[in-house]
Amino acid sequence: MPASLPLPPASGTRAQSAALIDSSAPRVLIAVDAYPPDAREAAHFTRQLVSELAAKGHEVHLVCPSDRGRPRVERVNGVTVYHLRSLPALMQPTRRVVMRLGLRTCVERLIDRIAPDVLHVQSHSVIGRAVAGAARRAGLPVVADTSHRLLQRVRAGQGLGLDVKPVTRGVDPARVRPSGTLTEGTRARFRLPDRDKVPGARRQSSSWARLSVAGLGLALAMLATVHVPGNRDPIRDVISYYALDSATVWPYTVGGLSLATGTFALGIALHRLLPRGSGPACALIITGASTLLLSVLFPTDPPEVVTPHGLVHRYAAMTAGLVVPAAGSLLARRLRTVPGWAHTSRHVGRAAITCWVSLLAFLASQVPTWSEVAARTESMRWHGGGLFERILMVSEIVMLMILAVRAAQTRPRT
């Protein structure tokens, strides 16, 4: 059962996104897993907190499980409450829980439309974790607190804390509590280790990016190694023919597996690192990695031979040759608006253009082989196809390497 709800209409600017109340007021989004009529203490504390924030002039939005099961949006005492689709808990029928299916997309859409100034995570359960993750990906400030000192600060006119800054690689315990301190109870509740920084999405992204750099570098080295024996014509013979020779089969296999691994790792790194909207390009990169793996596991056929595994190789290699440049083109356009990535987008765009040109040249070189008459003429087979395929392969690896190196160099903002 997807977690969905009717959202306020999308708007083009941040100032237009607050149509419900004054857009000049500080905008706060609070994520809770318990809210009245839930009888738990945390639910009543949250109601006091949102009431105090609304009384101080804040624009308060709250997301919580629906007490009726069905999703809805309502306005209660100056607070906009988003009730997510929920089910009764098995052991506690009076408690409602939100299903994880579709929750991430729903929360990201909600944050995009509300455009909050700060997000407050009241609990570390399903909704709290989803909102905290979406906030990290969007680079928004996060406050995590369940203590009554927060309510006291709000009542004293001190707000949620003046030192709140964007948290991009996990919850920063130095800013978890507005007072700047962190008790053992809060550490245990939010599962925070006893250190200054908690590794999150950005650190994991850096690890995936470094793996991608290593895989792509090894693939480039193996691509050069297979040409050392010189038993194939680099102008006419395609790279896949190196799998048919005993002297080059292992460098070819290692290079292909390294390329697939590096491409897959890059897709994961960019998915964790880039903001919302880059999902299709990351999916294309992962698809390219899968098809590259298939092309290695299913070797090509010798000339004049057609087998099922050879057909799998050809279709997989052609799919990889299409989706990787397509992903590069999408990222080149998307990264223009991402801070710090504009320079990278220009290099990626140039590499993607080179990929498309070499791909079209390679396809054009195959026209003679698609003709039954020309297929009988050996002199017309693979007329420059090997050269164009090598240009395409090198261009794709260079484009992916540019993205991987940039992702590996990215550091969390403080």
Side-chain angles (χ1 to χ4, degrees):
M1 180 184 299
S4 60
L5 76 164
L7 296 175
S11 58
T13 63
R14 177 189 176 97
Q16 296 173 345
S17 62
L20 296 176
I21 58 179
D22 183 13
S23 60
S24 62
R27 192 174 305 129
V28 181
L29 175 61
I30 300 177
V32 297
D33 288 272
Y35 193 70
D38 193 310
R40 284 176 289 174
E41 180 183 0
H44 292 284
F45 171 77
T46 303
R47 182 167 60 181
Q48 297 178 40
L49 176 63
V50 298
S51 299
E52 291 290 340
L53 288 172
K56 297 293 183 181
H58 291 65
E59 178 185 339
V60 183
H61 299 259
L62 184 138
V63 55
C64 63
S66 174
D67 58 317
R68 304 174 188 173
R70 298 181 61 85
R72 71 184 190 279
V73 180
E74 62 180 359
R75 186 99 168 128
V76 181
N77 297 328
V79 178
T80 306
V81 183
Y82 301 86
H83 298 271
L84 300 182
R85 189 185 303 274
S86 65
L87 294 173
L90 294 179
M91 304 302 296
Q92 298 176 328
T94 59
R95 180 180 176 183
R96 310 291 299 191
V97 294
V98 174
M99 303 298 293
R100 297 180 184 272
L101 180 62
L103 179 60
R104 173 174 173 171
T105 302
C106 179
V107 167
E108 288 180 345
R109 292 176 56 200
L110 190 63
I111 292 177
D112 284 346
R113 282 156 176 76
I114 296 176
D117 298 304
V118 63
L119 293 96
H120 175 244
V121 179
Q122 183 65 27
S123 64
H124 70 284
S125 298
V126 180
I127 299 179
R129 291 184 178 182
V131 169
R136 289 197 301 268
R137 289 188 293 273
L140 294 174
V142 178
V143 173
D145 199 330
T146 59
S147 69
H148 288 273
R149 295 189 61 182
L150 177 64
L151 186 59
Q152 296 172 6
R153 288 178 61 87
V154 172
R155 289 173 175 171
Q158 298 176 355
L160 290 176
L162 301 178
D163 57 347
V164 176
K165 297 180 180 179
V167 177
T168 55
R169 68 173 180 182
V171 178
D172 185 348
R175 303 187 185 108
V176 166
R177 291 171 59 110
S179 61
T181 61
L182 187 66
T183 64
E184 294 301 325
T186 306
R187 288 189 185 277
R189 187 177 298 111
F190 289 96
R191 300 180 181 180
L192 300 175
D194 188 13
R195 59 175 180 265
D196 291 338
K197 295 287 185 179
V198 179
R202 290 298 177 97
R203 181 168 296 180
Q204 296 173 4
S205 301
S206 179
S207 300
W208 283 105
R210 287 194 293 268
L211 176 61
S212 177
V213 171
L216 295 173
L218 181 59
L220 198 58
M222 291 298 102
L223 179 61
T225 302
V226 295
H227 291 82
V228 173
N231 52 355
R232 290 288 176 180
D233 184 1
I235 303 299
R236 294 174 177 263
D237 292 337
V238 294
I239 300 176
S240 302
Y241 279 175
Y242 289 109
L244 305 177
D245 300 333
S246 58
T248 56
V249 60
W250 285 110
Y252 170 83
T253 304
V254 172
L257 294 177
S258 301
L259 180 58
T261 302
T263 305
F264 177 81
L266 178 62
I268 299 298
L270 294 179
H271 176 69
R272 292 172 176 267
L273 187 64
L274 297 179
R276 186 171 178 264
S278 306
C282 297
L284 287 176
I285 292 178
I286 295 176
T287 302
S290 304
T291 53
L292 286 170
L293 180 61
L294 285 176
S295 67
V296 176
L297 297 179
F298 295 87
T300 189
D301 294 322
E304 308 296 341
V305 177
V306 178
T307 62
H309 66 79
L311 292 176
V312 171
H313 172 88
R314 293 176 186 177
Y315 286 118
M318 183 57 64
T319 302
L322 288 172
V323 298
V324 173
S329 299
L330 290 177
L331 286 174
R333 182 177 180 180
R334 179 68 180 89
L335 295 178
R336 296 173 187 170
T337 59
V338 179
W341 286 77
H343 185 67
T344 303
S345 69
R346 290 192 290 270
H347 292 295
V348 173
R350 297 188 187 103
I353 293 175
T354 305
C355 292
W356 285 116
V357 172
S358 56
L359 176 61
L360 293 176
F362 173 75
L363 295 177
S365 69
Q366 305 307 299
V367 173
T369 67
W370 296 338
S371 171
E372 294 183 2
V373 176
R376 301 189 185 96
T377 306
E378 184 66 22
S379 61
M380 297 186 64
R381 291 183 60 81
W382 301 106
H383 185 67
L387 176 61
F388 296 134
E389 187 191 31
R390 284 162 175 79
I391 297 176
L392 172 62
M393 181 65 68
V394 173
S395 301
E396 290 183 347
I397 295 178
V398 170
M399 180 184 69
L400 297 175
M401 183 66 79
I402 293 172
L403 292 167
V405 171
R406 179 63 181 85
Q409 294 175 346
T410 300
R411 292 293 180 266
R413 291 169 293 179
T414 57

